[in-house]
Structure formats: C-alpha cells, structure tokens
C-alpha cells in the first residue's frame, strides 16, 4: 500500500561544521561564493521543490558550468556520486563534484525556467529562475540572459525512447539533498524554483536551504536509497572487505547500496575472468541481502512464498528459487538455507524482500519473525576449479553438520565452521558456473578473512574479481540477473528457471497463475550463439530470418573468451525457441544489419553443470 | 639505436584478426594490458590492447612491412584496419614509473603509481594527454609515453627539465 508522504517538516541536522547557511525563499534566488574544497549542501526542505544552480569560476567569472561538456565527459545524463560525479566548465575543467545525493533524479537538459515559458502559457510577468539569476548576478558584472543553462536539482526529467524530454512532479522528499564539493573557488547562484503553474514543484513552490561546510570536512561519496516510501535514506555502504579492495583498485561502482569493484588495477576483466575459469578468484558479494526467518511457522511461510519445496530441505541444505507474487511474477531470486527445524536464512537481492515476507506472515497469522541480517553477515565468494584445494587446509567444519571435511560438502550444502580460526558459514554455492564456495562472516572479521584467503591464494595465483568479469561469467553460465532476465512481471518459466517451481506443492503464492503460464509462457529463456564477433546488447530485437517482425529480445550478452564466440541470453516466443533454430539479432536500427544467431541452451558454458557439481 | 614504430589495429573483427596475427594468447589481455607476442613469422612485437577490439603494436620500423603483409592476409573477409598514425608520437624512458607518477595525473580509475609491467594507463602531464605504458622491450623494462606529435616537444622539454633521461 502506498502511503501519503505528507509529514511535518524538520530541517535535517548539519552534516558538519558550517561555514555559512542561506535560506532561499520560494520563487527567489541568491548568489554566494564558495572556496575550493568547501562543500555545498542544497536541501529541499519540504520536498517536491526544484533548485537550479549556476556556477562560475575565474577572475572575471569567464568559466561557467557547461551541461553538454559534463554529459559528454561523464557519459551520463546527470553526474552521479562516484567515478562520474564531476561537473565541468566549457574549458573541460572540473568545477565541482557531487559527493552525496539522496534524491537521484535531476535535470541537466533544460534551461532554468524562463519568462518566455510562462508568457507562452499565458502568464506574462510571472517570476522565473532565469530572471532571478539575472538579478542576483548583476552585482558581479555578469550579463543577463533570457534563459540560463543550469543544473536543475530535484527537477524530474528523463529522455523518452522517441527523444521527447518528459518530466513531472519532483521525486525529492522533505530533507532530500545533494552535497557538492567545489574543485575551485566558485561563484554560485541557486534558486528555489518559481514554477507554480505545473507539477514540477507540485504547484506549490517552497524554500530551499543552502549550507556551506569547511574544506577540512571529509564526507564519503554516497548515493541515498530508500527501501520503502517510509524508510529513511540509507547511503551507499562499504562492506567489511572494501578497505582491502580499495588498496587494489579505484574502479568502484555503486551496486545495490554498496561500493563494489568493477575490476582491479593491473589486471582487468580478462585476467580476472581467466583466473576464475582456470584457477580461483575472490569476490565481495556483501551486497546480497540476508534475512533470518525463524519461529514455529517459518517453514510454512517460506513454503508459501518461495518457489521451491522447502519441506524437502534438511539442516545444512539450501535451495535456489524465487519469491513470487500472485500473478506468478518473480519478486526476487535467492537461496533459502535450512539452519534448523524452525530456522531458515533467505539470501536475496532486495531489502524489500523482508517487508514482503513479513506482510505475507501477517496476512496468514503466522508465528514467525523476519530479521534482516545483512549488517552482520558480509560474504565473500571463492570460486574456481582450485577453490576447494585452496580452502581445504584452512577449514574446520563444526561437527553438528556431520561432515568429515570440505570434500564432503556437496553442491547446495552448507556448514558452519572456521577458516583459519575465523568463524564462518561456508556454502557450496556461487554465481559463476564454477566450483565454488560462499563464505559468510561477521564484518568485524571480514578484513582478516580477506587477507587469509588472499595470502593462501598466492599458491594458486588467485585474483580478486570484479563485477565486470562476474557478469561475463554468469552470462556464460546462463545465470539470471534482476532487471535483465526477470522482474516482477516475469514468470520463472519465462526467465528460464521453471525447474525451480515446485508445482506439486499444495499451495504457494502464484501457483494458480503459474499452472496456466507453464502450458505456454509468452516467452522462454534461451541462449544464443551469434555469428561473428559483435556483441549484442540488452533490448535488441530478435527476428525470424528475413522477417521484419520480432520473436523476442536480448536480455544479456557478452563475448565468451572460453568459447571464443559472441553469446547472449534472450527471451523468445516458444514457437522459435527450439534448440538449433536459426534467428537474427537486429543491430544498428534493427533493420540495416542483422546478425545470425542459433538457439542453444541457456548456459552456453558447461550446460550440464558438471563443473559446479564436481 | 633501432627505430621503433607503432601500428594500430581496430574494427568489428579486431580481436579475431589480432588472434590470427599474434595467436590466441591475445584474447587473455584486458584493455590496457600488453604482451610480447611475435608474428607467426617470428618478428618480435609488443601488443597493447586498448579496448575489446582495438590493439596497438610496437615493433621495429624495419619490420613494419612484414606486419602489413601479415595483416593483408589475416584481414581477408574481416572488418578491420591497420594504420600507423602520423599524428601519434612516442617517447621511451628507462623504467621509473614511480618518478613519472609524481608528474602524471591518471584518468580515474586508472593508476600510474604502482603500474605493473605490461600495463598502461591514460593520464596527463601538465594538462597534456599521454598514454603511459610500462613494458619490456627486448628484455629491458621501459616506459613508453604515447602522445600527440604536436605535444612531443612540450613533454620532452618538461621531462628534460626534470632530468628524466630521454
């Protein structure tokens, strides 16, 4: 249920020592100076309010913010906190960098609102941000313009596929902010947008607060995310392993609320990939979300919510499947670990999984508690054909799991124990298509575990692996990614994990819909092997040979080094999904160049899973 | 001193043509990594991968014709080109990456400090774009700076002022 966002407005506490603070009344603007290194926080006090920003540098303010340069150098419509967070001048020099952003939706395509906009809609004389800027910049000798190119913070616009710039009510909520750091001495002008004639400011302009913090402050780069409309903003986190990882790479990107490595310095995607396929790699997968599901009805709740038959799990066993909605769509995919008769752990991708499980439990009157454990369980994946050999001498398994040693830990089995004396849960699972283990550890001992494994890995020429190589490996192995192969409108039969649906269970959420869908899913997941070396991309259309009309689309694609072929995962109408069928993938505009592709199994690499089961 | 030249190879089929020229080992290179890989005729080359399908070949100038001839055979039916750019220049320094890291600013997320052998990183020296490439040339560690020919004197002057041996 969506809830009203109206709430009493309270200005958030300052983030650090204030140098200056300004309040911009609705439909006005101010100009202010900021020194190099200082931070600028622009706060939407009441929510749904845009604030446009102009920035100038140089003795005569001859350099100014250039939106086109900024977009081009970042390859992004709007810079984001992290690697591509800088705003540039027309001289291609960085002026400032976004350090934190709790809204995530801004505009850098349109002008600050102009008198002309209002005039054309029948409001001659209406105040505008551009006119307000002209007024406050006049004392600095900056000539007026009818319309200023600005960064329009909290202004909700996007480019539609037909090129239209679409927009609407701001996404920002009370207290949302952007935090910027000045790269140079700057003259800034900020507005509280004057637009009260459309949805941009929800027809009700409200004030903006500007805070300037000292250059001696150190604020981490972060993107703010909310799990639900009511939940507080949570900034991008570091895992227990990130400090170790940061010594090895600067190439970190935000993924699911964590800073994770894309690749490692002096190595890169190919080296990491081959280390996975031939030796062993170490990855930080702490961005997975963990939930402890316990209580008398824990098993019943998971039996109802999860696609697999939980009743078949014994203690120490786990199962991959998905949480389902009533129409058979995949809410999330994940693994259920059976820790005890009334104790389970669900490991998925979304914080909201816990909310969903709680809601189902409440509706059914189940006696069960769902406790998020992501903050005290960070996890590494040790994957590759040498992973067992590396781990064997380090591991001592707890006796209650009845396993003599690591070699007895079967596929989708787990046990608690110690690695070099560090308490861990060791699970024989992974996301790479190789033999491998996932190690769950308390964050306090995460760095020690990382170092132990890196040290032991030297004998096997271990590499740390980043997300780029992981994505290549999982596509080869036919493993799904949320947002690519599935979302909540996609059934397991369409996504290629129909085998993970236990239709024989007496009841589970989505069962009725899935019984219908199974007979003829609208699409089925397949692997494609393309002719030639070009790599397909997400969303490209798949056609019968010589036909204009489509039979499916690409969901993921890569070049497989081990197969030396361009491969893809695709979802195709059942009539064209038979293995061996020849199809065409539309490149360029979909018509000018077609690349032949042959339908194959979802996993192009090791389709029998012999390696993970070895 | 032998004269060195650079050739660039790129196109849709850059990787398979590079494989034909230098062997399958080339597909193990990540962008900005290099290896000493001889042509099938045995001519020594150092090959730097710049992206998925783009490669830069460093070899003795006298061997350029042999590379072009091998390319002519390898590129049949493939969409790829081989060029030696007049506007691209090269300076070779004795190995000393840490000293160079003091004056060269890497393009994030690359690192010049600690750059390992057979790795490269784009960066800038006094605002001038350079590609810093640490590699082994005939068994001797060296650093190549690839830069626009028009910037060569600026960088040479800068490096000489800092007493870099050129």
């Amino acid at each position: 249920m969506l809830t009203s966002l109206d709430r009493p407005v309270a200005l958030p506490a300052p983030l650090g020592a204030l140098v200056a603070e300004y309040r911009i009344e609705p439909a006005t603007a101010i100009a202010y100076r900021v020194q190099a290194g200082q931070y600028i926080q622009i706060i939407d006090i009441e929510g749904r309010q845009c604030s446009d920003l102009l920035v100038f540098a140089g003795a005569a303010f001859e350099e100014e913010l250039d939106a086109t340069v900024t977009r081009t150098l970042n390859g992004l419509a709007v810079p984001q906190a992290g690697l591509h967070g800088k705003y540039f001048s027309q001289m291609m020099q960085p002026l400032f960098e976004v350090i934190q952003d709790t809204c995530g939706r801004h505009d850098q395509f349109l002008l600050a609102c102009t008198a002309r906009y209002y005039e054309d809609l029948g409001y001659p004389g209406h105040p505008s941000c551009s006119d307000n800027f002209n007024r406050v910049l006049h004392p600095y000798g900056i000539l007026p313009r009818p319309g200023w190119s600005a960064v329009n913070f909290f202004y909700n616009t996007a480019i539609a596929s037909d090129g239209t710039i679409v927009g609407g009510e701001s996404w920002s909520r009370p207290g949302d902010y952007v935090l910027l750091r000045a790269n140079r001495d700057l003259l800034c002008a900020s507005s509280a947008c004057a637009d009260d004639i459309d949805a941009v400011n929800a027809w009700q302009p409200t004030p903006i607060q500007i805070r300037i913090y000292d250059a001696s402050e150190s604020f981490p780069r972060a993107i703010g995310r909310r799990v639900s409309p009511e939940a507080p903003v949570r900034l991008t986190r570091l895992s227990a392993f990130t400090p170790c990882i940061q010594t090895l790479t600067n190439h970190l990107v935000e993924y699911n609320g964590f800073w994770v490595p894309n690749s490692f310095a002096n190595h890169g995607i190919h080296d990491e990939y081959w280390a996975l396929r031939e030796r062993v790699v170490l990855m930080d997968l702490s961005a997975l979300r963990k939930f402890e599901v316990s209580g008398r009805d824990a098993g019943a709740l998971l039996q109802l919510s999860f696609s697999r038959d939980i009743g078949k799990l014994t203690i120490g066993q786990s199962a991959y499947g998905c949480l389902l909605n009533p129409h058979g769509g995949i809410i999330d995919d994940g693994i259920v670990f059976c820790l005890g008769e009334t104790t389970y752990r669900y490991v998925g991708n979304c914080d909201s999984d816990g909310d969903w499980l709680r809601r189902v439990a409440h509706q059914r009157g189940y006696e069960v508690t769902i406790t998020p454990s992501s903050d005290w369980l960070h996890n590494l994946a040790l994957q590759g054909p040498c992973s067992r050999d590396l781990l064997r001498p380090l591991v001592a398994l707890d006796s209650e799991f009845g396993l003599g040693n690591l070699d007895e830990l079967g596929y989708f089995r787990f046990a608690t124990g110690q690695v070099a004396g560090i308490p861990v849960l060791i699970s024989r699972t992974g996301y790479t298509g190789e033999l491998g283990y996932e190690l769950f550890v308390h964050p306090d001992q995460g760095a020690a575990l990382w170092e132990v494994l890196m040290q032991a890995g030297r004998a096997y020429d271990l590499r740390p692996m980043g997300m780029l190589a992981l994505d290549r490996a999982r596509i080869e192995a036919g493993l799904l990614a949320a947002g690519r192969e599935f979302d909540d409108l996609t059934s397991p039969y369409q996504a290629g994990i129909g085998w993970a649906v236990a239709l024989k269970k007496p009841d589970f959420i989505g069962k009725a819909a899935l019984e219908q869908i199974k007979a003829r899913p609208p699409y089925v997941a397949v692997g494609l092997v393309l002719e030639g070396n070009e790599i397909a991309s997400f969303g490209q259309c798949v056609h019968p040979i010589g036909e204009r009309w489509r039979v499916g689309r690409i969901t993921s694609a890569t070049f497989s080094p081990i197969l030396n072929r361009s491969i893809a995962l695709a979802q195709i109408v059942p009539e064209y999904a038979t293995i061996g069928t020849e199809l065409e993938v539309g490149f360029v505009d979909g018509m000018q160049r077609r690349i032949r592709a042959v339908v194959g199994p979802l996993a192009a690499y090791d389709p029998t899973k012999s390696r993970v089961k070895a | 001193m032998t004269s060195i030249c650079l050739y660039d190879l790129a196109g849709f089929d850059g990787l398979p043509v590079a494989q034909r020229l230098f062997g399958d080992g080339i597909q193990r290179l990540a962008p900005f990594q290099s290896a000493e890989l001889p042509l099938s005729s045995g001519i020594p080359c150092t090959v730097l991968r710049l992206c998925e399908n783009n490669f830069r070949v460093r070899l003795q100038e006298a061997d350029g014709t042999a590379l072009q001839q091998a390319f002519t055979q390898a590129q049949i039916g493939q969409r790829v080109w081989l060029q030696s750019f007049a506007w691209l220049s090269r300076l070779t320094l004795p190995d000393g990456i840490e000293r160079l890291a003091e004056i060269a600013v890497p393009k994030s997320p690359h690192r010049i400090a600690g750059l390992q052998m057979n790795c490269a990183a784009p960066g800038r020296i006094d605002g001038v774009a350079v590609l810093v490439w640490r590699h082994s040339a005939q068994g001797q560690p060296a650093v190549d700076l690839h830069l626009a020919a028009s910037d060569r004197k600026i960088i040479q002057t800068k490096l000489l002022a800092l007493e870099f041996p050129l």
Side-chain angles (χ1 to χ4, degrees), chain A residues 126-457:
Chain A
H126 192 290
S128 73
C129 287
S130 288
D131 285 347
N132 288 337
F133 283 142
N134 288 334
R135 197 170 300 115
V136 299
L137 292 172
H138 177 71
Y140 298 92
I142 294 173
L143 296 175
R145 296 182 192 175
W148 280 99
S149 173
V151 186
N152 304 309
F153 286 117
F154 314 121
Y155 184 13
N156 167 21
T157 65
I159 311 299
S161 57
D162 66 352
T164 310
I165 299 175
V166 294
E169 192 174 343
S170 170
W171 288 7
S172 69
R173 300 161 197 241
D176 268 347
Y177 67 85
V178 288
L179 179 68
L180 316 170
R181 182 171 57 208
N183 292 91
R184 305 166 62 182
D185 290 348
L186 301 175
L187 170 65
C188 302
S190 285
S191 73
C193 179
D195 191 344
D196 57 2
I197 65 166
D198 57 33
V200 164
N201 300 309
W203 280 274
Q204 185 64 54
T206 53
I208 290 287
Q209 195 85 359
I210 305 287
R211 286 172 172 161
I212 311 299
Y213 300 105
D214 193 73
S216 62
E217 295 284 353
S218 179
F219 301 113
R221 291 181 179 88
I223 295 167
R225 305 261 188 227
R226 286 182 177 83
V227 179
S228 64
E230 299 81 19
V233 167
R234 189 151 191 192
L235 297 178
T236 316
R237 281 159 280 175
L238 306 183
S239 83
F241 317 110
T242 316
C244 301
I245 289 168
Q246 285 173 313
T247 65
L248 302 172
T249 181
N250 295 335
H251 198 180
L252 271 69
V253 293
E254 197 267 355
Y255 170 75
N256 204 19
F258 282 78
W259 291 117
V260 299
N262 244 354
S263 66
F264 285 83
N266 294 312
H267 294 293
I269 176 172
H270 295 73
D271 194 26
E272 297 162 27
Y273 166 87
W274 283 110
L276 165 70
R277 292 285 180 240
E278 295 178 339
R279 304 186 307 276
V280 59
V281 297
L282 187 62
M283 281 174 290
D284 177 6
L285 294 184
S286 301
L288 293 174
R289 300 299 198 264
K290 301 99 187 177
F291 302 92
E292 308 306 306
V293 184
S294 60
R296 190 190 67 192
D297 299 321
L301 172 64
L302 290 169
Q303 196 71 310
L304 185 68
S305 313
F306 194 64
S307 64
R308 299 292 294 277
D309 187 351
I310 297 303
K312 290 182 176 175
L313 292 182
T314 57
I315 296 170
Q317 195 174 9
S318 61
Y320 169 81
C322 53
L323 298 176
L324 293 160
N325 59 31
H327 59 263
I330 301 174
I331 292 173
D332 192 15
D333 70 342
I335 296 178
V336 169
F337 294 77
C338 180
L339 300 163
E341 288 181 9
T342 59
T343 314
Y344 296 85
R345 177 173 297 153
Y346 175 73
V347 179
N349 304 289
C350 310
D351 286 309
S352 54
D353 292 346
D355 295 336
W356 171 246
L357 290 171
R358 260 181 232 109
R359 204 168 139 210
V360 173
H362 178 72
Q363 286 169 348
R364 294 290 178 126
Y366 284 155
E367 190 178 297
V368 59
T369 58
I370 293 109
T371 309
S373 52
S374 305
D375 288 344
W376 52 268
L377 278 175
H378 288 187
N379 53 300
L380 291 173
L382 188 74
Q383 304 274 304
C386 298
S387 56
R388 185 188 287 134
D389 294 339
L390 186 160
L391 212 47
R392 188 184 293 114
L394 302 173
V395 168
L397 299 176
D398 292 341
S399 57
E400 56 262 40
F401 288 87
L403 301 168
N405 56 49
L406 188 67
D407 294 81
E408 294 176 17
L409 187 68
Y411 189 41
F412 274 92
R413 299 276 173 169
F414 69 91
T416 56
Q418 297 186 334
V419 170
I422 300 167
V424 294
L425 183 146
I426 304 174
S427 169
R428 201 177 139 191
T429 43
Y431 188 57
T432 61
E434 293 292 345
L435 169 70
Y437 301 86
E438 293 181 293
L439 304 166
F440 295 80
V441 65
H442 191 283
D444 287 350
Q445 293 180 288
L449 181 64
W450 174 275
E451 293 300 341
V452 162
L453 294 170
M454 289 291 286
Q455 177 71 27

Side-chain angles (χ1 to χ4, degrees), chain B residues 29-59:
Chain B
L29 296 177
F32 296 101
Q33 285 188 329
S34 66
E36 288 183 74
L37 298 165
L39 283 172
S40 53
S41 55
I43 289 171
C45 299
T46 310
V47 186
L48 172 65
R49 191 171 194 171
L50 289 173
C51 67
E52 198 67 26
N53 287 304
N54 294 16
F55 300 86
R56 181 162 297 157
V57 185
R58 183 186 195 276
L59 75 171

